[in-house]
Every structure is written in structure tokens, then in C-alpha cells.
Amino acid sequence: MLNVTGVDSAESTALLLTVMHRLHKQLDDFTTQLYFAHNFGDESGLVPAVLIEKHAAGPELRLHHRFSFFAEGDADVSELRFSAGVTIASAGCVVQALVDVDLQRPFGEFGADIHTLYFERIDQLSLMDALSRLQEQVTALCRMGNVPSRLGFDTR
């Protein structure tokens, strides 16, 4: 149910998709710059995606940008993930942004484990407020350019 702002459902859907497209491009530009600026190693990769999932609370639209990399001599993949999304619920929208790393071996200042570097979740927002907060969250994610260095990756 997208009609949480009192506007026509088609207008809400168009607004949601337009904003998410722009935010996906913004996050994609940022993560691509990080990928090219740092040496993540051979066989590393960056996979940007837009995920749509149905949850009990309502549908979720999430931007998900995942770096995959290996430690030297290791066969297990580690990941650095930048993610932001909105869930449309009957009680209002939920926005959530996250940066985390899932390390199979120690990297930089982090031990092997899952580490959350940034997390923000805000519940019960109108669609307009949710999209505004989501824009702020993506901007915050795009200020985290030091994460690869914190993981010990050299710049090119």
C-alpha cells in the first residue's frame, strides 16, 4: 500500500521509483569511485542491485551495493556492503541504511566477523518524509569513503 501520503497511488509509485532511481545512481557513482580508487585485489567485484522484497510489514525497495574480495591465499569471500531502502507499511514507511563488512579473515582494523559501520532506521514516516530521510541516509553513506582504507586497502 503506497498511499501513505494521501496522494493518488500512481503518483506515489512514480515518486518512489523516481527518487529510488536517482539515489541508486548516486550510490552507484560513489561505490564505483571507491572500487576504482582502491586495490581490492584480483577477482574482486562490485555488484550494484535494486532489490524488491515482500515482507509481512509490506513491500521493501532496497539499494544494495556489494564489494566482494578475497584475503591473500584465502578461498572464502569477504564482503563490504552499502545498503539503503524503504519499506511501505500500513503504519507508515520505514527507512533503513546500513554499511557493514562480513570478513572471513581480519582486514585492517577489523577482525574476522560481521561489523556494522553505520546503521540508521526510522519508522512510521509518511512517504514524503521517508524519501527525504532516505536521501539524507544515502548522502551519509556517500561520505564513508574512508571505509576501504580502514579495511587496509591501498589506493591505486
Side-chain angles (χ1 to χ4, degrees):
M1 164 177 274
L2 286 173
N3 198 5
V4 294
T5 62
V7 298
D8 180 76
S9 179
E11 290 176 22
S12 296
T13 302
L15 177 63
L16 173 65
L17 294 175
T18 299
V19 169
M20 292 301 283
H21 178 265
R22 184 175 46 76
L23 295 176
H24 179 62
K25 174 81 170 110
Q26 180 182 347
L27 193 55
D28 189 45
D29 289 347
F30 170 72
T31 56
T32 299
Q33 288 174 2
L34 283 183
Y35 186 71
F36 287 126
H38 294 84
N39 183 8
F40 285 91
D42 295 339
E43 299 182 43
S44 64
L46 170 62
V47 178
V50 176
L51 306 174
I52 301 170
E53 297 180 355
K54 184 171 173 133
H55 299 283
E60 177 185 40
L61 186 57
R62 176 159 298 282
L63 311 174
H64 190 75
H65 295 249
R66 178 179 43 115
F67 295 81
S68 298
F69 51 90
F70 296 90
E72 188 173 322
D74 195 358
D76 294 324
V77 177
S78 291
E79 293 183 344
L80 166 61
R81 298 176 289 244
F82 289 80
S83 178
V86 60
T87 302
I88 310 299
S90 60
C93 297
V94 177
V95 293
Q96 181 176 307
L98 172 75
V99 176
D100 69 344
V101 291
D102 183 355
L103 302 175
Q104 302 305 312
R105 294 184 135 191
F107 273 88
E109 62 187 69
F110 303 99
D113 203 352
I114 297 175
H115 304 274
T116 301
L117 308 179
Y118 176 87
F119 178 79
E120 182 180 52
R121 177 187 167 114
I122 305 168
D123 295 89
Q124 298 181 336
L125 298 170
S126 70
L127 180 60
M128 294 300 290
D129 289 342
L131 294 177
S132 177
R133 289 297 298 157
L134 192 61
Q135 290 175 7
E136 293 171 12
Q137 288 177 334
V138 169
T139 298
L141 296 181
C142 292
R143 289 189 184 124
M144 299 191 70
N146 68 333
V147 173
S149 297
R150 291 177 64 195
L151 288 166
F153 292 109
D154 295 325
T155 56
R156 295 185 196 257

